[in-house]
């Protein structure tokens, strides 16, 4: 993390970033995070439903089989 | 017998060692191949025809042999015939022409076996898909019903050396699987949202150290609340439900503690979020996630044990060979009707209760009655389903089927016993029942202190501090404390050949003060063995040196006469001779005298081996002391066989079902740990006493029927107020196994015993029993330590909450440190 200069309360930007801008950035990032997380969650739900977790031993060997 | 030198070869298919004279040879593209039998040769050729020889390079077999049901001697029919009836048992799902069935495949040892099976299925005409599960040895096959059928598919797998049987999931199993899926969904959800929550929380933690804009903090808190809510109310639902149920029954269990911690943390945080304070969403979500993780780990340990047991039981298909006018038919036992005639071949299990129509044999009823001596069965005698046929062929008319059989009656007793034994309160529940009132009291104390404190007047400060006590007090690692230790414990047990069917069993086992052991098959080997040989020339003394040669001669003659015998005692004598390296002589004119003995010509001399009555009838005179010696031996629980040569008494051979080699040692080890060992048996007093002397067990209960055994176990539980474990293997032990606090079955035992037991001992010896007890003690010690460490950090932080200086970062810290401590401590069991 960027060390804070003394006297600055972690907010108002010196380099042109305003407090509101930073807030909106964080909120946007949170929304983005939720979207990605929800996508991952739905993939997980789909995987459980299609029995992908039933055998976690065999599939890793399957790619080594040659298709003779 | 001639003594031509033989060399040992290894079968190219099943890796079984085979002598060069017995081996089967074949020419392959890469030189000469050696096989132990024609079955292996056929399998090899089948695999080669399919172009799948790569299997032999890839496979990683650490044991040899192929499943019993696939092996067959040259010239005989190709294994048990497969007929339509066999598939009647399987549940075949149909979707228009496409049919689907579950199979259980025996003989899978490595990933290449799975590959081979899948390839063969793929190349079977009409098969749409075939997937084999490596972990469970089960396969799901889909095929086109218009092009092939299940029988053809099964025989394809049998042709490459694997025994495949249709497999129907039991209701219990289906329920377990559904539970596991539900748990996985809840855990996965909890993990995903907790991960998001942790990211957000780190922002808040950083804000604590570096300062944060209040508005930004608020938004982070709102986001935390959003991701925490599903964790608590979806993933945590089982705990909330359990807590409500517990409170309704006036029970304070783990669920109450967890719900109390998580719900107060959540509500407290929502209040603080609105009012602008600190939030504890991460604590609430973590409690739920870790407890779920613990349950999931425990469940999967349980499932892998029950999978192993199912596999063990599936290896013994419940089939009967029905005799029809047209021939013999293998049928599922459930389909056999009264008055049907069954053919029971040597060594097979008699499927149902019935009456012998034809044939004579000795039946081993020890699994049902506990009697170690085989019982002679001839026409008109009753046989019990579940007993094992000796060496004769029997035709049996079925008299009882379904719920009327002896086996079904015992199964009903088992069920009753299982329902009657109440589960003991688990340690985590016990701890919670003390801990919850304690924290409620300290919260109340905190409230009163702050409420009466003049410096902070009013309700709000007092209430906030009191609630923060509740928030910090709930230990997150509590959910991990027991399951991780149990997982490590059962894993280490499995490596020692001890299958434990659940975590609570390990908790119960360490408290066991009395172990009841069955005699036949558990303490003893379950087979007749020669224990003593007395010779007439040397006054029947049991002297080692002087009589060595005479003993040698007695055994040699008796074994030579018996070498083609199918009598169990005769075979035991032959076995003894082979073990002692005594060469057998040529025997002619062998004549078996059923129920009495055998007569043969060895070295031109008439040899008589058998009961005293037979020898007396043939005019053999017994020296006076020989009768006395024989009585003495019989009093010690031995069966005595007399030997005469040319009408002159030569000596006697005493046999008995003797104790296992490690029985004495195992009993001594159990006694050292302060456990009472009791022997219980359906056999008679005399044999029981003899075994008790050999094993060092003082308390012997003999002549007990299956129900009496269960009642006795029940009585031992009540009278001593101590937990009782039962070790057994037979059908007659099953009710007692179910009635005991911990039932342990030998894996060589009957299905019903394995099914009703909590622990299955995969090794034939008895040393697993003390090993299991010791392991459970070690596991329980670790559980106790884990619980201590799980509570320790949280309890240490309570004063902070009481003084009103608690911060989320402290709660998070306690959570992390206690979880790591608990897991690291449990891993010590893996050694």
């Amino acid at each position: 993390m960027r060390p804070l200069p003394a006297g600055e309360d972690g907010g108002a930007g010196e380099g042109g970033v305003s407090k509101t801008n930073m807030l909106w950035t964080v909120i946007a990032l949170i929304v983005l995070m939720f979207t990605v997380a929800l996508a991952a969650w739905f993939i997980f739900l789909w995987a459980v439903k299609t029995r992908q977790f039933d055998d976690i031993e065999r599939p890793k060997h399957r790619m080594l089989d040659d298709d003779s | 017998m001639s003594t031509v030198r033989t060399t040992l070869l290894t079968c190219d298919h099943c890796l079984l060692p085979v002598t060069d004279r017995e081996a089967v040879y074949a020419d392959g593209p890469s030189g000469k191949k050696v096989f132990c039998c024609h079955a292996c040769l056929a399998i090899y050729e089948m695999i080669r025809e399919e172009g799948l020889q790569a299997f032999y390079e890839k496979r990683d077999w650490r044991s040899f042999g192929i499943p019993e049901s696939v092996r067959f001697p040259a010239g005989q029919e190709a294994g048990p015939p497969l007929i339509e009836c066999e598939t009647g048992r399987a549940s075949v799902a149909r979707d228009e022409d496409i049919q689907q069935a579950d199979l259980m495949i025996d003989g899978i040892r490595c990933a290449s076996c799975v590959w081979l099976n899948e390839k063969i299925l793929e190349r079977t005409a009409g098969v749409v898909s075939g997937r084999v599960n490596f972990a469970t040895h089960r396969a799901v096959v889909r095929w086109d019903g218009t092009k092939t059928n299940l029988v053809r598919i099964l025989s394809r797998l049998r042709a490459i050396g694997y025994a495949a049987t249709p497999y129907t999931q039991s209701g219990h199993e289906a329920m377990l699987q559904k539970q596991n899926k539900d748990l996985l969904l809840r855990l996965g959800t909890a993990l995903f949202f907790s991960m998001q929550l942790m990211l957000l929380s780190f922002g808040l933690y950083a804000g604590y150290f570096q300062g944060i804009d209040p508005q930004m903090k608020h938004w982070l808190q709102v986001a935390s609340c959003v991701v925490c809510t599903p964790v608590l109310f979806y993933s945590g639902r089982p705990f909330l439900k359990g807590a409500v149920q517990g409170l309704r029954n006036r029970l304070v269990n783990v669920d109450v503690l967890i719900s109390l911690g998580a719900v107060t943390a959540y509500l407290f945080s929502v209040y603080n979020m609105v009012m602008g304070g600190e939030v504890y969403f991460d604590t609430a979500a973590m409690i739920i996630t870790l407890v779920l993780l613990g349950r999931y780990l425990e469940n999967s340990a349980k499932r892998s044990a029950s999978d192993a047991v199912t596999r063990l039981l599936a290896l013994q298909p419940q089939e009967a060979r029905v005799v029809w006018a047209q021939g013999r038919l293998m049928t599922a036992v459930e389909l056999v009707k009264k008055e049907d005639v069954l053919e029971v071949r040597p060594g097979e299990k008699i499927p149902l209760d019935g009456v012998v129509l034809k044939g004579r044999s000795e039946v081993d009823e020890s699994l049902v009655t506990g009697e170690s001596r085989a019982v002679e069965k001839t026409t008109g005698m009753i046989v019990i389903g579940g007993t094992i046929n000796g060496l004769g062929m029997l035709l049996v008319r079925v008299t009882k089927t379904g719920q009327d059989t002896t086996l079904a009656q015992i199964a009903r007793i088992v069920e009753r016993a299982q329902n009657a034994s109440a589960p003991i309160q688990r340690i985590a529940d016990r701890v919670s029942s003390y801990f919850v009132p304690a924290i409620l009291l300290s919260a109340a104390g905190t409230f009163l202190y702050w409420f009466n404190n003049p410096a902070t007047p009013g309700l709000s400060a007092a209430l906030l501090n009191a609630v923060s006590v509740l928030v910090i007090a709930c230990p997150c690692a509590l959910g991990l404390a027991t399951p991780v230790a149990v997982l490590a414990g059962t894993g280490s047990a499995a490596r020692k050949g001890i299958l434990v069917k659940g975590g609570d069993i390990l908790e119960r086992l360490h408290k066991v003060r009395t172990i009841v052991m069955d005699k036949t098959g558990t303490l003893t080997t379950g087979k007749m063995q020669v224990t003593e040989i007395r010779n007439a020339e040397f006054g029947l003394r049991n002297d080692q040196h002087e009589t060595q040669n005479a003993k040698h001669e007695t055994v040699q003659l008796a074994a030579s006469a018996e070498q083609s015998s199918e009598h169990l005692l005769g075979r035991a004598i032959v076995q003894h001779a082979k073990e002692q390296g005594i060469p057998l002589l040529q025997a002619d004119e062998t004549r078996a005298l059923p129920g009495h003995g055998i007569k043969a010509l060895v070295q031109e001399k008439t040899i008589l081996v058998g009961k005293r009555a037979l020898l007396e009838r043939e005019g053999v005179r017994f020296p006076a002391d020989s009768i006395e010696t024989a009585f003495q031996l019989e009093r010690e629980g031995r069966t005595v066989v007399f030997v005469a040569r040319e009408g002159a008494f030569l000596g006697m051979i005493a046999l008995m079902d003797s104790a296992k080699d490690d029985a004495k040692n195992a009993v001594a080890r159990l006694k050292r740990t302060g456990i009472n060992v009791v022997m219980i048996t359906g056999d008679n007093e005399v044999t029981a006493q003899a075994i008790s002397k050999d094993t060092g067990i003082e308390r012997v209960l003999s002549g007990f029927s299956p129900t009496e055994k269960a009642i006795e176990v029940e009585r031992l539980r009540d009278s001593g107020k101590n937990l009782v474990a039962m070790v057994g293997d037979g059908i007659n032990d099953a009710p007692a196994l179910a009635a005991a606090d911990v039932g342990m079955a030998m894996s060589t035992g009957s299905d019903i015993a394995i099914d009703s037991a909590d622990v299955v001992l995969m090794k034939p010896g008895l040393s697993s029993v003390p090993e299991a007890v010791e392991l459970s003690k070690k596991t329980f010690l670790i559980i106790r330590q884990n619980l201590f460490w799980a509570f320790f950090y949280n309890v240490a932080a309570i004063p902070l909450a009481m003084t009103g200086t608690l911060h989320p970062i402290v709660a998070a810290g306690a959570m992390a440190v206690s979880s790591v401590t608990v897991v690291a401590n449990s891993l010590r069991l893996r050694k």
Side-chain angles (χ1 to χ4, degrees):
Chain A
M1 273 242 162
R2 177 176 63 100
L4 286 172
E8 202 183 41
D9 286 337
E14 268 167 281
V17 186
S18 78
K19 213 164 148 181
T20 11
N21 263 348
M22 180 121 137
L23 188 64
W24 281 116
T25 315
V26 168
I27 290 173
L29 281 173
I30 288 174
V31 171
L32 183 69
M33 182 183 93
F34 278 0
T35 328
V36 175
L38 278 179
W41 187 51
F42 281 124
I43 292 173
F44 167 74
L45 291 183
W46 166 82
V48 173
K49 217 152 264 166
T50 51
R51 308 178 63 156
Q52 307 268 335
F53 286 99
D54 282 10
D55 184 8
I56 48 176
E57 197 62 32
R58 170 68 183 142
K60 70 188 181 200
H61 294 286
R62 193 171 307 241
M63 64 178 222
L64 297 174
D65 298 346
D66 37 36
D67 299 309
S68 52
Chain B
M1 258 173 77
S2 57
T3 48
V4 181
R5 281 186 73 128
T6 55
T7 35
L8 271 185
L9 303 169
T10 308
C11 175
D12 276 324
H13 175 71
C14 72
L15 308 179
L16 196 76
V18 58
T19 59
D20 55 354
R21 286 167 59 218
E22 288 170 310
V24 180
Y25 299 92
D27 288 316
S30 50
K32 213 169 184 184
K33 295 277 176 187
V34 185
F35 299 98
C36 64
C37 58
H38 286 277
C40 280
L41 169 64
I43 292 166
Y44 172 78
E45 279 177 349
M46 169 88 183
I47 291 173
R48 212 182 57 191
E49 262 167 42
E50 294 289 341
L52 298 171
Q53 304 98 312
F55 166 71
Y56 290 104
E57 286 142 40
K58 287 206 265 187
R59 69 176 176 181
D60 177 23
W61 283 15
R62 292 197 183 98
S63 53
F64 48 75
I66 52 176
E68 202 61 42
S69 50
V70 179
R71 296 181 70 87
F72 57 94
Q76 282 193 19
E77 56 176 309
L82 283 159
I83 49 96
E84 294 288 345
C85 280
E86 190 178 8
T87 61
R89 198 153 50 104
S91 58
V92 177
R94 282 185 183 82
D95 181 17
E96 291 183 15
D97 284 342
I98 303 298
Q99 306 187 357
Q100 180 177 326
D102 286 333
L103 305 181
M104 177 79 90
I105 301 180
D106 185 22
I108 288 182
R109 264 168 269 198
C110 61
S112 297
C113 295
V114 175
W115 171 80
L116 185 63
N117 274 293
E118 286 187 351
K119 285 284 167 217
I120 280 288
L121 284 174
E122 221 171 76
R123 286 159 197 225
T124 305
V127 171
V128 180
S129 75
R131 279 283 162 111
V132 182
N133 186 322
F134 180 53
T136 57
H137 299 193
R138 279 178 214 160
V140 183
V141 187
R142 287 157 59 79
W143 69 93
D144 188 338
T146 57
K147 288 184 189 145
T148 187
N149 59 31
L150 188 53
V151 176
R152 242 180 272 167
I153 295 168
L154 291 180
S155 44
R156 275 282 275 190
L157 292 180
R158 220 165 264 208
I160 54 160
Y162 297 88
T165 38
Y167 169 80
T168 319
Q169 218 176 23
S170 68
H172 175 70
E173 225 178 325
M175 198 189 71
L176 261 183
Q177 204 170 31
K178 208 174 145 245
Q179 253 177 22
N180 214 52
K181 205 167 171 176
D182 181 67
L183 203 54
L184 183 66
L185 272 177
R186 286 183 203 278
L187 174 67
T189 307
L191 281 173
F192 270 113
F193 287 112
S194 295
M195 266 193 294
Q196 310 311 315
L197 188 51
M198 268 301 147
L199 287 175
L200 296 165
S201 298
F202 265 83
L204 291 170
Y205 300 157
Y208 171 70
F209 289 114
Q210 301 176 330
I212 190 167
D213 177 64
Q215 227 183 337
M216 184 98 79
K217 187 173 167 184
H218 180 72
W219 280 110
L220 283 175
Q221 289 180 343
V222 171
S224 301
C225 181
V226 170
V227 284
C228 180
T229 310
V231 177
L232 184 64
F233 294 103
Y234 170 68
S235 298
R237 236 177 95 94
F239 307 120
L240 300 179
K241 256 194 193 157
V244 170
Q245 233 161 40
L247 288 178
R248 244 186 232 151
N249 298 328
R250 295 170 188 283
L251 269 175
V252 180
N253 51 18
V254 176
D255 287 344
V256 173
L257 179 57
I258 291 161
S259 306
L260 183 72
V263 171
T264 45
Y266 182 79
L267 294 179
F268 188 49
S269 304
V270 172
Y271 173 82
N272 276 353
M273 178 178 80
V274 176
M275 303 304 287
E278 299 296 342
V279 294
Y280 295 86
F281 289 120
D282 51 341
T283 311
M286 262 313 144
I287 293 174
I288 301 286
T289 309
L290 289 180
V291 176
L292 270 174
L293 180 65
R295 297 231 167 146
Y296 184 73
L297 290 179
E298 205 176 338
N299 215 341
S300 47
K302 204 167 167 176
R303 218 164 51 122
S304 69
S306 73
D307 271 351
V309 171
T310 319
R311 214 142 60 211
L312 207 62
L313 297 181
L315 297 190
Q316 304 164 331
Q318 305 289 306
E319 289 168 340
R321 193 176 287 108
V322 183
V323 180
W324 299 87
Q326 300 91 340
R328 282 131 181 76
L329 216 56
M330 284 303 276
T331 312
V333 166
E334 300 92 75
L335 300 176
V336 177
K337 287 183 288 293
K338 258 187 216 180
E339 303 298 315
D340 276 354
V341 175
L342 305 181
E343 183 184 84
V344 186
R345 295 188 180 174
E348 277 183 352
K349 206 182 264 180
I350 297 172
L352 292 159
D353 294 7
V355 175
V356 178
L357 274 187
K358 217 175 107 190
R360 67 181 310 133
S361 180
E362 291 208 315
V363 176
D364 178 0
E365 295 194 332
S366 65
L367 282 178
V368 176
T369 60
E371 169 90 42
S372 54
R373 277 171 218 175
V375 184
E376 181 102 18
K377 297 283 180 192
T378 51
T379 312
M381 292 177 86
I382 290 169
V383 287
I384 308 169
T387 55
I388 296 161
N389 185 20
L391 293 146
M393 174 103 85
L394 290 178
L395 281 183
V396 175
R397 182 171 54 86
V398 177
T399 52
K400 286 175 185 167
T401 55
Q403 289 301 304
D404 304 326
T405 58
T406 315
L407 219 57
Q409 278 164 20
I410 290 175
R412 273 203 294 279
I413 303 171
V414 168
E415 216 167 294
R416 221 176 301 146
Q418 269 168 340
N419 292 337
S421 60
I424 68 155
Q425 204 184 16
R426 299 190 60 172
I427 183 168
D429 281 329
R430 230 162 42 236
V431 171
S432 307
S433 67
Y434 294 115
F435 193 71
V436 171
I439 57 166
L440 286 176
L441 272 180
S442 47
T446 311
F447 177 80
L448 285 178
Y449 172 79
W450 288 100
F451 192 64
N452 295 322
N453 193 347
T456 54
L459 207 63
S460 92
L463 204 60
L464 284 183
N465 286 334
V467 170
S468 66
V469 168
L470 296 182
V471 170
I472 186 66
C474 178
C476 305
L478 178 70
L480 289 179
T482 318
V484 178
V486 163
L487 189 70
T490 48
S492 137
R495 275 197 299 280
K496 287 181 179 151
I498 304 163
L499 285 180
V500 183
K501 287 194 199 161
D504 46 336
I505 291 153
L506 273 180
E507 279 187 42
R508 258 181 281 163
L509 190 56
H510 93 282
K511 278 196 184 162
V512 163
R513 287 286 156 274
T514 308
I515 292 190
V516 184
M517 290 204 188
D518 167 57
K519 183 181 75 73
T520 315
T522 305
L523 278 168
T524 68
T525 53
K527 279 190 208 113
M528 282 288 173
Q529 279 172 324
V530 173
T531 57
E532 238 157 296
I533 301 142
R534 302 288 173 92
N535 190 276
E537 276 176 63
F538 289 88
L540 302 163
R541 274 189 312 254
N542 189 21
D543 191 311
Q544 283 297 318
H545 302 290
E546 254 183 288
T547 56
Q548 200 58 48
N549 283 335
K551 276 183 178 173
H552 187 101
E553 193 183 20
T554 314
V555 173
Q556 186 177 38
L557 291 174
S560 303
E562 295 270 16
Q563 57 188 307
S564 59
S565 165
E566 298 198 332
H567 195 279
L568 286 175
L569 293 177
R571 283 170 57 95
I573 294 171
V574 176
Q575 181 67 24
H576 179 75
K578 278 188 182 155
E579 276 166 20
Q580 298 291 313
I582 299 170
L584 300 183
L585 305 167
Q586 173 85 29
D588 299 305
E589 292 173 35
T590 308
R591 201 152 56 84
L593 307 155
H596 294 283
I598 208 159
K599 193 177 181 180
L601 215 57
V602 180
Q603 288 182 326
E604 320 267 288
K605 295 199 170 82
T606 313
I607 303 295
L608 278 170
V609 185
K611 285 184 181 165
R612 213 179 91 205
L614 167 77
L615 274 71
E616 270 172 355
R617 209 177 57 200
E618 298 278 329
V620 177
R621 293 253 315 256
F622 289 93
D625 55 347
S626 71
I627 309 287
E628 184 47 45
T629 313
F631 277 148
Q632 177 61 34
L633 287 168
E634 269 164 9
R635 268 200 296 279
E636 286 166 16
R638 289 162 171 80
T639 306
V640 181
V641 173
F642 298 85
V643 186
R645 177 171 52 188
E646 290 284 272
F649 176 66
L650 191 67
M652 53 182 104
I653 298 171
L655 299 107
M656 97 182 269
D657 174 21
S658 41
K660 283 179 186 164
D661 295 337
D662 57 354
K664 191 170 186 166
N665 201 351
V667 170
R669 255 171 88 185
L670 288 172
K671 279 184 175 169
R672 263 206 303 283
T673 46
I675 291 174
N676 294 319
V677 185
V678 181
M679 180 165 101
I680 199 162
T681 176
D683 214 344
N684 60 53
E685 174 84 33
V686 180
T687 1
Q689 284 297 345
I691 296 298
S692 94
K693 233 178 276 165
D694 286 351
T695 51
I697 297 176
E698 282 115 30
R699 221 166 136 204
V700 179
L701 305 162
S702 56
F704 276 67
S705 77
T707 336
E708 285 168 348
K709 277 187 179 182
I711 292 168
E712 185 61 27
V713 165
E714 201 60 52
R715 208 181 58 73
L716 283 168
R717 283 180 67 195
D718 289 343
S719 64
K721 293 206 170 146
N722 278 322
L723 300 195
V724 173
M726 165 87 197
V727 192
D729 71 321
I731 292 162
N732 63 335
D733 302 322
L737 287 170
D741 295 296
V742 181
M744 298 170 130
M746 314 298 291
S747 64
T748 48
S750 61
D751 299 4
I752 187 168
I754 291 169
D755 218 26
S756 43
D758 306 304
V759 178
V760 182
L761 308 173
M762 303 300 283
K763 283 195 277 189
L766 270 179
S767 58
S768 302
V769 178
E771 259 170 32
V773 172
E774 279 154 25
L775 195 76
S776 86
K777 287 201 171 172
K778 227 159 72 185
T779 308
F780 196 74
L781 185 71
I782 298 273
I783 290 178
R784 277 223 291 255
Q785 290 169 353
N786 280 354
L787 285 173
F788 171 79
W789 288 113
F791 281 100
F792 178 78
Y793 298 103
N794 291 73
V795 171
I798 287 182
L800 285 179
M802 284 175 163
T803 53
T805 49
L806 182 71
H807 190 271
I809 203 114
V810 177
M815 202 152 66
V817 180
S818 57
S819 303
V820 169
T821 316
V822 162
V823 172
N825 191 37
S826 304
L827 288 180
R828 295 195 299 139
L829 273 172
R830 293 206 78 107
K831 274 189 303 215

